[in-house]
Coordinates of all heavy atoms in Angstrom, one line a residue:
M1 N 0.8 -1.2 0.0 CA 0.0 0.0 0.0 C 0.9 1.3 0.0 O 0.5 2.3 -0.5 CB -0.9 0.0 1.2 CG -2.0 1.0 1.2 SD -3.0 0.9 -0.3 CE -4.2 2.0 0.0
G2 N 2.0 1.2 0.6 CA 2.9 2.4 0.6 C 3.3 2.8 -0.8 O 3.4 4.0 -1.0
A3 N 3.5 1.9 -1.7 CA 3.8 2.3 -3.1 C 2.7 3.1 -3.7 O 3.0 4.1 -4.4 CB 4.1 1.0 -3.9
Y4 N 1.5 2.7 -3.5 CA 0.4 3.5 -4.1 C 0.2 4.9 -3.4 O -0.2 5.8 -4.1 CB -0.9 2.7 -4.0 CG -0.9 1.6 -5.1 CD1 -0.6 0.3 -4.7 CD2 -1.2 1.9 -6.4 CE1 -0.6 -0.7 -5.7 CE2 -1.2 0.9 -7.4 CZ -0.9 -0.4 -7.0 OH -0.9 -1.4 -8.0
L5 N 0.5 5.0 -2.1 CA 0.4 6.3 -1.5 C 1.5 7.2 -2.1 O 1.3 8.4 -2.3 CB 0.6 6.2 0.0 CG -0.6 5.6 0.7 CD1 -0.3 5.4 2.2 CD2 -1.8 6.5 0.6
L6 N 2.7 6.7 -2.3 CA 3.8 7.4 -2.9 C 3.5 7.8 -4.4 O 3.8 8.8 -4.8 CB 5.1 6.6 -2.8 CG 5.9 6.8 -1.5 CD1 7.1 5.8 -1.5 CD2 6.4 8.2 -1.3
L7 N 2.8 6.8 -5.0 CA 2.4 7.1 -6.4 C 1.4 8.3 -6.4 O 1.4 9.2 -7.3 CB 1.8 5.9 -7.0 CG 1.4 6.0 -8.5 CD1 2.6 6.4 -9.4 CD2 0.9 4.6 -9.0
A8 N 0.5 8.3 -5.5 CA -0.5 9.4 -5.3 C 0.2 10.7 -5.1 O -0.1 11.8 -5.7 CB -1.5 9.2 -4.2
L9 N 1.3 10.7 -4.3 CA 2.1 11.9 -4.0 C 2.8 12.3 -5.3 O 2.8 13.5 -5.7 CB 3.1 11.6 -2.9 CG 4.2 12.7 -2.7 CD1 3.5 14.0 -2.2 CD2 5.2 12.3 -1.7
A10 N 3.3 11.4 -6.1 CA 4.0 11.7 -7.3 C 3.0 12.3 -8.3 O 3.4 13.3 -9.0 CB 4.6 10.4 -7.9
I11 N 1.8 11.8 -8.4 CA 0.8 12.3 -9.3 C 0.4 13.8 -8.9 O 0.4 14.7 -9.7 CB -0.4 11.4 -9.3 CG1 -0.1 10.1 -10.0 CG2 -1.6 12.1 -10.0 CD1 -1.1 9.0 -9.8
A12 N 0.2 14.0 -7.6 CA -0.2 15.3 -7.1 C 0.9 16.3 -7.3 O 0.6 17.4 -7.8 CB -0.5 15.2 -5.6
A13 N 2.1 15.9 -7.1 CA 3.3 16.8 -7.3 C 3.4 17.1 -8.8 O 3.7 18.3 -9.2 CB 4.6 16.2 -6.8
E14 N 3.3 16.2 -9.7 CA 3.4 16.4 -11.1 C 2.3 17.3 -11.6 O 2.5 18.2 -12.4 CB 3.4 15.0 -11.8 CG 3.7 15.1 -13.3 CD 2.4 15.2 -14.2 OE1 1.4 14.8 -13.8 OE2 2.5 15.7 -15.3
V15 N 1.1 17.1 -11.2 CA -0.1 17.9 -11.6 C 0.1 19.3 -11.1 O -0.1 20.3 -11.9 CB -1.4 17.3 -11.1 CG1 -2.6 18.3 -11.3 CG2 -1.7 16.0 -11.8
S16 N 0.6 19.5 -9.9 CA 0.8 20.8 -9.4 C 1.9 21.5 -10.2 O 1.8 22.7 -10.5 CB 1.3 20.8 -7.9 OG 0.3 20.2 -7.1
A17 N 3.0 20.8 -10.5 CA 4.1 21.4 -11.3 C 3.6 21.8 -12.7 O 3.9 22.8 -13.2 CB 5.2 20.4 -11.4
T18 N 2.8 20.9 -13.3 CA 2.3 21.2 -14.7 C 1.4 22.4 -14.7 O 1.5 23.2 -15.6 CB 1.7 19.9 -15.3 OG1 2.6 18.9 -15.2 CG2 1.2 20.2 -16.7
I19 N 0.5 22.5 -13.8 CA -0.4 23.6 -13.7 C 0.4 24.9 -13.4 O 0.2 25.9 -14.0 CB -1.5 23.4 -12.6 CG1 -2.4 22.2 -13.0 CG2 -2.3 24.7 -12.4 CD1 -3.1 22.4 -14.3
S20 N 1.4 24.8 -12.5 CA 2.2 25.9 -12.2 C 3.1 26.4 -13.4 O 3.4 27.5 -13.6 CB 3.1 25.6 -11.0 OG 2.3 25.4 -9.9
L21 N 3.4 25.4 -14.3 CA 4.2 25.7 -15.5 C 3.4 26.7 -16.4 O 3.9 27.7 -16.9 CB 4.5 24.4 -16.3 CG 5.4 24.5 -17.5 CD1 6.8 25.0 -17.0 CD2 5.5 23.1 -18.1
K22 N 2.1 26.5 -16.5 CA 1.2 27.4 -17.2 C 1.2 28.8 -16.5 O 1.3 29.8 -17.1 CB -0.2 26.9 -17.4 CG -1.1 27.9 -18.0 CD -2.2 27.3 -18.8 CE -3.1 28.3 -19.3 NZ -2.9 28.6 -20.7
L23 N 1.0 28.7 -15.2 CA 0.9 29.9 -14.4 C 2.2 30.7 -14.3 O 2.2 31.9 -14.0 CB 0.4 29.6 -13.0 CG -1.0 28.9 -12.9 CD1 -1.3 28.5 -11.4 CD2 -2.1 29.8 -13.5
S24 N 3.3 30.1 -14.5 CA 4.6 30.8 -14.4 C 4.8 31.7 -15.6 O 5.7 32.6 -15.5 CB 5.8 29.8 -14.4 OG 6.0 29.2 -15.7
E25 N 4.0 31.6 -16.6 CA 4.1 32.5 -17.8 C 5.6 32.5 -18.3 O 6.2 33.6 -18.4 CB 3.6 33.9 -17.5 CG 2.1 33.9 -17.2 CD 1.5 35.2 -17.0 OE1 2.2 36.3 -17.2 OE2 0.3 35.3 -16.5
G26 N 6.1 31.4 -18.7 CA 7.4 31.3 -19.3 C 8.5 31.5 -18.2 O 9.5 32.1 -18.5
F27 N 8.2 31.1 -17.0 CA 9.1 31.3 -15.9 C 9.4 32.8 -15.6 O 10.4 33.1 -15.0 CB 10.5 30.5 -16.1 CG 10.3 29.1 -16.0 CD1 10.4 28.3 -17.2 CD2 10.1 28.4 -14.8 CE1 10.2 26.9 -17.2 CE2 10.0 27.0 -14.8 CZ 10.0 26.3 -16.0
S28 N 8.4 33.6 -15.9 CA 8.6 35.0 -15.6 C 8.0 35.4 -14.2 O 8.2 36.5 -13.7 CB 7.9 35.9 -16.7 OG 6.5 35.7 -16.7
K29 N 7.3 34.4 -13.6 CA 6.7 34.6 -12.3 C 7.4 33.7 -11.3 O 7.4 32.5 -11.5 CB 5.2 34.4 -12.3 CG 4.4 35.4 -13.1 CD 2.9 35.3 -12.9 CE 2.2 36.4 -13.6 NZ 0.8 36.3 -13.4
L30 N 8.0 34.2 -10.2 CA 8.8 33.5 -9.3 C 8.1 32.4 -8.6 O 8.5 31.2 -8.6 CB 9.5 34.4 -8.3 CG 10.5 33.7 -7.4 CD1 11.6 33.0 -8.1 CD2 11.0 34.7 -6.4
G31 N 6.9 32.7 -8.0 CA 6.2 31.7 -7.2 C 5.9 30.5 -7.9 O 6.3 29.3 -7.5
P32 N 5.1 30.6 -9.0 CA 4.8 29.4 -9.8 C 6.1 28.7 -10.4 O 6.1 27.5 -10.5 CB 3.9 29.9 -11.0 CG 3.4 31.2 -10.4 CD 4.4 31.8 -9.5
S33 N 7.1 29.4 -10.7 CA 8.3 28.8 -11.2 C 9.0 27.9 -10.2 O 9.5 26.8 -10.5 CB 9.3 29.9 -11.7 OG 8.8 30.7 -12.7
I34 N 8.9 28.4 -8.9 CA 9.5 27.5 -7.8 C 8.7 26.3 -7.7 O 9.2 25.2 -7.5 CB 9.5 28.3 -6.5 CG1 10.6 29.4 -6.6 CG2 9.8 27.4 -5.3 CD1 10.6 30.5 -5.5
V35 N 7.3 26.4 -7.8 CA 6.5 25.2 -7.7 C 6.7 24.2 -8.8 O 6.7 23.0 -8.6 CB 5.0 25.6 -7.6 CG1 4.1 24.4 -7.6 CG2 4.7 26.5 -6.4
V36 N 7.0 24.7 -10.0 CA 7.4 23.8 -11.1 C 8.6 23.0 -10.8 O 8.5 21.8 -10.9 CB 7.6 24.7 -12.4 CG1 8.2 23.8 -13.5 CG2 6.4 25.4 -12.9
V37 N 9.6 23.6 -10.4 CA 10.9 22.9 -10.1 C 10.7 21.9 -8.9 O 11.1 20.8 -9.0 CB 12.0 23.9 -9.9 CG1 13.3 23.1 -9.5 CG2 12.3 24.7 -11.2
A38 N 10.1 22.4 -7.9 CA 10.0 21.6 -6.7 C 9.0 20.5 -6.9 O 9.2 19.3 -6.5 CB 9.5 22.5 -5.5
G39 N 7.9 20.8 -7.6 CA 6.9 19.8 -7.9 C 7.4 18.6 -8.8 O 7.2 17.4 -8.5
Y40 N 8.2 19.0 -9.8 CA 8.7 17.9 -10.7 C 9.8 17.1 -9.9 O 9.9 15.9 -10.0 CB 9.3 18.4 -12.0 CG 8.2 18.8 -13.0 CD1 8.2 20.0 -13.6 CD2 7.2 17.8 -13.3 CE1 7.2 20.3 -14.6 CE2 6.3 18.1 -14.3 CZ 6.3 19.4 -14.9 OH 5.3 19.7 -15.8
A41 N 10.6 17.8 -9.1 CA 11.6 17.0 -8.2 C 10.9 16.0 -7.3 O 11.3 14.9 -7.2 CB 12.4 18.0 -7.5
V42 N 9.8 16.5 -6.6 CA 9.1 15.6 -5.7 C 8.5 14.5 -6.5 O 8.5 13.3 -6.1 CB 8.0 16.4 -4.9 CG1 7.1 15.5 -4.2 CG2 8.7 17.4 -3.9
A43 N 7.9 14.8 -7.6 CA 7.2 13.8 -8.4 C 8.2 12.7 -8.8 O 7.9 11.5 -8.7 CB 6.6 14.4 -9.7
F44 N 9.4 13.0 -9.3 CA 10.3 12.0 -9.8 C 11.0 11.2 -8.7 O 11.2 10.0 -8.8 CB 11.4 12.6 -10.7 CG 10.8 12.9 -12.1 CD1 10.6 14.2 -12.5 CD2 10.6 11.8 -13.0 CE1 10.0 14.4 -13.8 CE2 10.0 12.1 -14.2 CZ 9.8 13.4 -14.6
V45 N 11.2 11.9 -7.5 CA 11.8 11.2 -6.4 C 10.7 10.2 -5.9 O 11.0 9.0 -5.6 CB 12.2 12.2 -5.3 CG1 12.5 11.4 -4.0 CG2 13.4 13.0 -5.7
A46 N 9.5 10.6 -5.7 CA 8.4 9.7 -5.3 C 8.2 8.6 -6.2 O 8.1 7.4 -5.8 CB 7.1 10.5 -5.1
L47 N 8.2 8.9 -7.5 CA 8.1 7.8 -8.5 C 9.3 6.8 -8.4 O 9.1 5.6 -8.6 CB 8.0 8.4 -9.9 CG 7.6 7.4 -11.0 CD1 6.3 6.7 -10.8 CD2 7.6 8.2 -12.4
S48 N 10.5 7.3 -8.2 CA 11.6 6.4 -8.0 C 11.4 5.4 -6.8 O 11.8 4.3 -6.9 CB 12.9 7.1 -7.9 OG 13.1 7.7 -6.7
Y49 N 10.9 5.9 -5.7 CA 10.6 5.1 -4.6 C 9.5 4.1 -4.9 O 9.5 3.0 -4.4 CB 10.3 5.9 -3.3 CG 11.5 6.4 -2.7 CD1 12.0 7.7 -2.8 CD2 12.3 5.6 -1.8 CE1 13.1 8.2 -2.2 CE2 13.4 6.0 -1.2 CZ 13.8 7.3 -1.4 OH 15.0 7.8 -0.8
V50 N 8.5 4.5 -5.6 CA 7.4 3.6 -6.0 C 8.0 2.4 -6.7 O 7.7 1.2 -6.5 CB 6.4 4.3 -6.9 CG1 5.5 3.3 -7.6 CG2 5.6 5.3 -6.2
L51 N 9.0 2.6 -7.6 CA 9.6 1.6 -8.4 C 10.5 0.7 -7.4 O 10.6 -0.5 -7.6 CB 10.4 2.1 -9.5 CG 9.6 2.9 -10.6 CD1 10.5 3.5 -11.6 CD2 8.5 2.0 -11.2
K52 N 11.2 1.4 -6.5 CA 12.0 0.7 -5.5 C 11.2 -0.3 -4.7 O 11.6 -1.3 -4.3 CB 12.7 1.7 -4.6 CG 13.7 1.1 -3.7 CD 14.4 2.1 -2.9 CE 15.4 1.5 -1.9 NZ 16.1 2.6 -1.1
F53 N 9.9 0.1 -4.4 CA 9.0 -0.7 -3.6 C 8.5 -1.9 -4.4 O 7.8 -2.7 -3.9 CB 7.9 0.1 -3.0 CG 8.2 0.9 -1.8 CD1 7.6 2.1 -1.6 CD2 9.2 0.6 -0.9 CE1 7.9 2.9 -0.5 CE2 9.6 1.3 0.1 CZ 8.9 2.5 0.4
G54 N 8.8 -1.9 -5.7 CA 8.5 -3.1 -6.5 C 7.3 -3.0 -7.4 O 6.9 -4.0 -8.0
L55 N 6.6 -1.9 -7.5 CA 5.5 -1.7 -8.4 C 6.1 -1.8 -9.8 O 7.1 -1.1 -10.1 CB 4.8 -0.4 -8.2 CG 3.4 -0.3 -8.8 CD1 2.5 -1.3 -8.1 CD2 2.9 1.1 -8.5
P56 N 5.6 -2.6 -10.7 CA 6.1 -2.7 -12.1 C 6.2 -1.4 -12.8 O 5.2 -0.6 -12.6 CB 5.2 -3.7 -12.8 CG 4.5 -4.5 -11.7 CD 4.4 -3.5 -10.5
I57 N 7.2 -1.1 -13.5 CA 7.4 0.2 -14.1 C 6.3 0.5 -15.1 O 5.8 1.7 -15.2 CB 8.8 0.3 -14.8 CG1 9.1 1.8 -15.1 CG2 8.9 -0.6 -16.0 CD1 10.5 2.1 -15.5
G58 N 5.8 -0.5 -15.9 CA 4.8 -0.2 -16.8 C 3.5 0.2 -16.1 O 2.8 1.1 -16.6
V59 N 3.2 -0.4 -15.0 CA 1.9 -0.1 -14.3 C 2.1 1.3 -13.6 O 1.2 2.1 -13.7 CB 1.6 -1.2 -13.2 CG1 0.5 -0.8 -12.3 CG2 1.3 -2.5 -13.9
A60 N 3.2 1.5 -12.9 CA 3.4 2.7 -12.2 C 3.4 3.9 -13.2 O 2.7 4.9 -12.9 CB 4.8 2.7 -11.5
Y61 N 4.1 3.8 -14.3 CA 4.2 4.9 -15.2 C 2.8 5.1 -15.9 O 2.4 6.3 -16.1 CB 5.3 4.7 -16.3 CG 5.5 5.9 -17.1 CD1 6.2 7.0 -16.6 CD2 5.1 6.0 -18.4 CE1 6.4 8.2 -17.3 CE2 5.3 7.1 -19.2 CZ 5.9 8.2 -18.6 OH 6.1 9.4 -19.3
A62 N 2.1 4.1 -16.2 CA 0.8 4.2 -16.9 C -0.2 4.9 -15.9 O -0.9 5.8 -16.4 CB 0.3 2.8 -17.2
I63 N -0.2 4.5 -14.7 CA -1.1 5.2 -13.7 C -0.7 6.7 -13.5 O -1.5 7.6 -13.6 CB -1.1 4.5 -12.4 CG1 -1.7 3.1 -12.5 CG2 -1.8 5.3 -11.3 CD1 -1.6 2.2 -11.3
W64 N 0.6 6.9 -13.4 CA 1.2 8.2 -13.2 C 0.8 9.1 -14.3 O 0.3 10.3 -14.2 CB 2.7 8.2 -12.9 CG 3.4 9.4 -12.6 CD1 3.2 10.2 -11.5 CD2 4.3 10.1 -13.4 NE1 4.1 11.3 -11.6 CE2 4.7 11.2 -12.8 CE3 4.9 9.8 -14.7 CZ2 5.7 12.1 -13.3 CZ3 5.9 10.6 -15.2 CH2 6.2 11.8 -14.5
A65 N 1.1 8.7 -15.5 CA 0.9 9.5 -16.7 C -0.6 9.7 -17.0 O -1.0 10.9 -17.2 CB 1.5 8.8 -17.9
A66 N -1.4 8.7 -16.9 CA -2.8 8.8 -17.2 C -3.5 9.7 -16.2 O -4.3 10.6 -16.5 CB -3.5 7.5 -17.3
A67 N -3.2 9.5 -14.9 CA -3.8 10.3 -13.9 C -3.4 11.8 -14.1 O -4.2 12.7 -13.9 CB -3.4 9.8 -12.5
G68 N -2.1 12.0 -14.4 CA -1.6 13.3 -14.6 C -2.3 14.0 -15.8 O -2.8 15.1 -15.7
V69 N -2.5 13.3 -16.9 CA -3.2 13.8 -18.0 C -4.6 14.2 -17.7 O -5.1 15.3 -18.0 CB -3.1 12.9 -19.2 CG1 -4.1 13.3 -20.3 CG2 -1.7 12.7 -19.8
A70 N -5.3 13.2 -17.1 CA -6.7 13.5 -16.8 C -6.9 14.6 -15.8 O -7.7 15.5 -16.0 CB -7.3 12.2 -16.2
L71 N -6.1 14.6 -14.7 CA -6.2 15.7 -13.7 C -5.9 17.1 -14.3 O -6.6 18.1 -14.0 CB -5.4 15.4 -12.5 CG -6.0 14.2 -11.7 CD1 -5.0 13.8 -10.6 CD2 -7.3 14.6 -11.0
V72 N -4.8 17.1 -15.1 CA -4.4 18.4 -15.6 C -5.5 18.9 -16.6 O -5.9 20.1 -16.6 CB -3.1 18.3 -16.3 CG1 -2.8 19.6 -17.2 CG2 -1.9 18.2 -15.3
A73 N -6.1 18.0 -17.4 CA -7.2 18.4 -18.3 C -8.4 18.9 -17.5 O -9.0 19.9 -17.9 CB -7.6 17.2 -19.1
I74 N -8.7 18.2 -16.4 CA -9.9 18.7 -15.6 C -9.6 20.0 -15.0 O -10.5 20.9 -15.0 CB -10.2 17.6 -14.5 CG1 -10.8 16.3 -15.2 CG2 -11.1 18.1 -13.5 CD1 -10.8 15.1 -14.3
V75 N -8.4 20.2 -14.4 CA -8.1 21.5 -13.8 C -8.1 22.6 -14.9 O -8.6 23.7 -14.6 CB -6.7 21.4 -13.1 CG1 -6.2 22.8 -12.7 CG2 -6.8 20.5 -11.9
G76 N -7.6 22.3 -16.1 CA -7.6 23.2 -17.1 C -9.0 23.7 -17.5 O -9.3 24.9 -17.7
V77 N -9.9 22.7 -17.6 CA -11.3 23.1 -17.9 C -12.0 23.8 -16.8 O -12.6 24.8 -17.0 CB -12.1 21.8 -18.3 CG1 -13.6 22.1 -18.4 CG2 -11.5 21.2 -19.6
V78 N -11.9 23.3 -15.6 CA -12.6 23.9 -14.5 C -12.1 25.2 -14.0 O -12.8 26.1 -13.8 CB -12.7 22.8 -13.3 CG1 -13.3 23.4 -12.1 CG2 -13.4 21.6 -13.7
F79 N -10.8 25.3 -13.8 CA -10.2 26.5 -13.2 C -9.6 27.5 -14.2 O -9.5 28.6 -13.9 CB -9.1 26.1 -12.2 CG -9.7 25.3 -11.0 CD1 -9.6 24.0 -10.9 CD2 -10.5 26.0 -10.0 CE1 -10.1 23.3 -9.8 CE2 -11.1 25.3 -9.0 CZ -10.9 23.9 -8.9
L80 N -9.0 26.9 -15.3 CA -8.4 27.8 -16.3 C -9.3 28.1 -17.5 O -8.8 28.8 -18.4 CB -7.0 27.2 -16.7 CG -6.1 26.9 -15.6 CD1 -4.8 26.1 -16.1 CD2 -5.7 28.1 -14.8
K81 N -10.5 27.6 -17.4 CA -11.5 27.9 -18.5 C -11.0 27.5 -19.9 O -11.3 28.2 -20.8 CB -11.9 29.4 -18.4 CG -12.3 29.9 -17.1 CD -13.6 29.1 -16.6 CE -14.0 29.7 -15.2 NZ -14.5 28.7 -14.3
E82 N -10.3 26.4 -19.9 CA -9.9 25.9 -21.2 C -11.0 25.1 -21.9 O -11.9 24.6 -21.2 CB -8.6 25.0 -21.1 CG -7.4 25.8 -20.6 CD -6.2 25.0 -20.5 OE1 -6.2 23.8 -20.5 OE2 -5.1 25.7 -20.4
P83 N -11.1 25.1 -23.2 CA -12.2 24.5 -23.9 C -12.2 23.0 -23.8 O -11.1 22.4 -23.6 CB -12.0 24.9 -25.4 CG -10.6 25.2 -25.5 CD -10.1 25.7 -24.2
V84 N -13.3 22.4 -23.9 CA -13.4 20.9 -23.9 C -14.5 20.5 -24.9 O -15.5 21.3 -25.1 CB -13.8 20.4 -22.4 CG1 -15.1 20.8 -22.0 CG2 -13.7 18.9 -22.4
N85 N -14.3 19.4 -25.5 CA -15.3 18.9 -26.4 C -15.4 17.3 -26.3 O -14.6 16.7 -25.6 CB -15.0 19.3 -27.9 CG -13.7 18.8 -28.3 OD1 -13.3 17.7 -28.1 ND2 -12.9 19.7 -29.0
A86 N -16.3 16.7 -27.0 CA -16.5 15.3 -26.9 C -15.3 14.5 -27.3 O -15.0 13.5 -26.7 CB -17.7 14.9 -27.8
A87 N -14.6 14.9 -28.3 CA -13.4 14.2 -28.7 C -12.3 14.2 -27.6 O -11.7 13.1 -27.4 CB -12.8 14.8 -30.0
M88 N -12.2 15.3 -26.9 CA -11.2 15.3 -25.8 C -11.7 14.4 -24.7 O -10.8 13.7 -24.1 CB -11.1 16.8 -25.3 CG -10.5 17.7 -26.3 SD -10.6 19.4 -25.9 CE -9.6 19.6 -24.5
I89 N -12.9 14.4 -24.4 CA -13.5 13.5 -23.3 C -13.3 12.1 -23.7 O -12.9 11.2 -22.9 CB -14.9 13.8 -23.0 CG1 -15.0 15.2 -22.4 CG2 -15.6 12.8 -22.1 CD1 -16.4 15.8 -22.3
A90 N -13.5 11.7 -25.0 CA -13.3 10.4 -25.4 C -11.8 10.0 -25.3 O -11.5 8.9 -24.9 CB -13.8 10.2 -26.9
G91 N -11.0 10.9 -25.7 CA -9.5 10.6 -25.6 C -9.1 10.3 -24.1 O -8.3 9.4 -23.9
L92 N -9.6 11.1 -23.2 CA -9.3 10.9 -21.8 C -9.9 9.5 -21.3 O -9.2 8.8 -20.6 CB -9.9 12.0 -20.9 CG -9.1 13.3 -20.9 CD1 -9.9 14.4 -20.2 CD2 -7.7 13.1 -20.4
A93 N -11.0 9.2 -21.8 CA -11.6 7.9 -21.5 C -10.7 6.7 -22.0 O -10.5 5.7 -21.3 CB -13.0 7.8 -22.0
L94 N -10.2 6.9 -23.2 CA -9.3 5.9 -23.8 C -8.0 5.8 -23.0 O -7.5 4.7 -22.8 CB -9.1 6.2 -25.3 CG -10.2 6.0 -26.2 CD1 -9.9 6.6 -27.6 CD2 -10.6 4.5 -26.3
V95 N -7.5 6.9 -22.6 CA -6.3 6.9 -21.8 C -6.5 6.1 -20.5 O -5.7 5.2 -20.1 CB -5.7 8.3 -21.5 CG1 -4.7 8.3 -20.4 CG2 -5.2 8.9 -22.8
I96 N -7.6 6.4 -19.8 CA -7.9 5.7 -18.6 C -8.2 4.3 -18.8 O -7.7 3.4 -18.1 CB -9.1 6.5 -17.9 CG1 -8.6 7.8 -17.4 CG2 -9.6 5.6 -16.7 CD1 -9.7 8.8 -17.0
G97 N -8.9 4.0 -19.9 CA -9.2 2.6 -20.2 C -7.9 1.8 -20.5 O -7.8 0.6 -20.1
G98 N -7.0 2.4 -21.1 CA -5.7 1.8 -21.4 C -4.9 1.5 -20.1 O -4.3 0.4 -20.0
V99 N -5.0 2.4 -19.2 CA -4.3 2.1 -17.9 C -5.0 0.9 -17.2 O -4.3 0.0 -16.6 CB -4.3 3.3 -17.0 CG1 -3.9 3.0 -15.6 CG2 -3.5 4.4 -17.6
V100 N -6.3 0.9 -17.2 CA -7.0 -0.2 -16.6 C -6.6 -1.6 -17.3 O -6.4 -2.6 -16.6 CB -8.6 0.0 -16.7 CG1 -9.3 -1.3 -16.3 CG2 -9.0 1.2 -15.8
L101 N -6.5 -1.6 -18.6 CA -6.1 -2.8 -19.3 C -4.6 -3.2 -18.9 O -4.3 -4.4 -18.7 CB -6.2 -2.6 -20.8 CG -7.6 -2.6 -21.3 CD1 -7.6 -2.3 -22.8 CD2 -8.3 -4.0 -21.0
I102 N -3.8 -2.2 -18.7 CA -2.4 -2.5 -18.3 C -2.4 -3.1 -16.9 O -1.7 -4.1 -16.7 CB -1.5 -1.2 -18.4 CG1 -1.3 -0.9 -19.9 CG2 -0.2 -1.4 -17.7 CD1 -0.6 0.5 -20.1
E103 N -3.2 -2.5 -16.0 CA -3.3 -3.0 -14.7 C -3.8 -4.5 -14.7 O -3.3 -5.4 -14.0 CB -4.2 -2.1 -13.8 CG -4.3 -2.5 -12.4 CD -3.0 -2.1 -11.6 OE1 -2.3 -1.2 -11.9 OE2 -2.8 -2.8 -10.6
I104 N -4.9 -4.7 -15.4 CA -5.4 -6.1 -15.5 C -4.4 -7.0 -16.1 O -4.2 -8.2 -15.6 CB -6.7 -6.1 -16.4 CG1 -7.8 -5.3 -15.6 CG2 -7.2 -7.5 -16.7 CD1 -9.1 -5.0 -16.4
G105 N -3.7 -6.6 -17.2 CA -2.7 -7.5 -17.8 C -1.6 -7.8 -16.9 O -1.1 -9.0 -16.9
S106 N -1.1 -6.9 -16.1 CA 0.0 -7.1 -15.2 C -0.4 -8.0 -14.0 O 0.4 -8.8 -13.5 CB 0.6 -5.8 -14.6 OG -0.3 -5.2 -13.7
A107 N -1.7 -8.0 -13.6 CA -2.2 -8.8 -12.5 C -2.3 -10.3 -13.0 O -2.2 -11.2 -12.1 CB -3.6 -8.3 -12.1
S108 N -2.5 -10.5 -14.2 CA -2.7 -11.9 -14.7 C -1.4 -12.6 -15.0 O -1.4 -13.8 -15.4 CB -3.6 -11.9 -15.9 OG -3.0 -11.3 -17.0
T109 N -0.2 -11.9 -14.9 CA 1.0 -12.6 -15.2 C 1.7 -13.0 -13.9 O 1.4 -12.7 -12.8 CB 2.0 -11.6 -15.9 OG1 2.2 -10.4 -15.1 CG2 1.5 -11.2 -17.3

């Protein structure tokens, strides 16, 4: 269970860093720029510990990437007023479905 908690931390840190990357306006704003660097550092360190705890790299990366994509897209739509359409929603559903299939496939081996 510790690996999944660290994975959640890695996801939260990566999402925070990615959103802050937009808010930094090309690294011209100090506060968001600091969050970008710190967030990505925390994300990669946490992800490295997830792998050290034995979670398969394919599963860990798939969950990390898909959750990051989905959460950043949701934050973009809800808080940054970015546009959304049916094709984007379908794409996110496919990404999430792909992760579920990877998880199922790794459990059966």
Side-chain angles (χ1 to χ4, degrees):
M1 189 58 173
Y4 283 100
L5 287 174
L6 277 172
L7 185 56
L9 172 64
I11 292 165
E14 187 266 336
V15 169
S16 298
T18 301
I19 296 301
S20 295
L21 189 59
K22 173 150 177 102
L23 299 176
S24 75
E25 296 182 10
F27 290 105
S28 65
K29 293 187 175 182
L30 182 61
S33 298
I34 291 170
V35 174
V36 170
V37 174
Y40 284 129
V42 168
F44 283 107
V45 168
L47 189 58
S48 73
Y49 278 100
V50 167
L51 299 175
K52 184 177 180 181
F53 284 150
L55 200 62
I57 191 167
V59 172
Y61 190 73
I63 293 169
W64 182 67
V69 167
L71 290 170
V72 167
I74 290 166
V75 169
V77 169
V78 173
F79 295 106
L80 303 175
K81 308 298 182 216
E82 294 183 347
V84 66
N85 59 43
M88 294 166 68
I89 293 169
L92 285 173
L94 288 170
V95 168
I96 292 167
V99 170
V100 170
L101 288 174
I102 290 170
E103 184 75 27
I104 290 169
S106 72
S108 66
T109 57

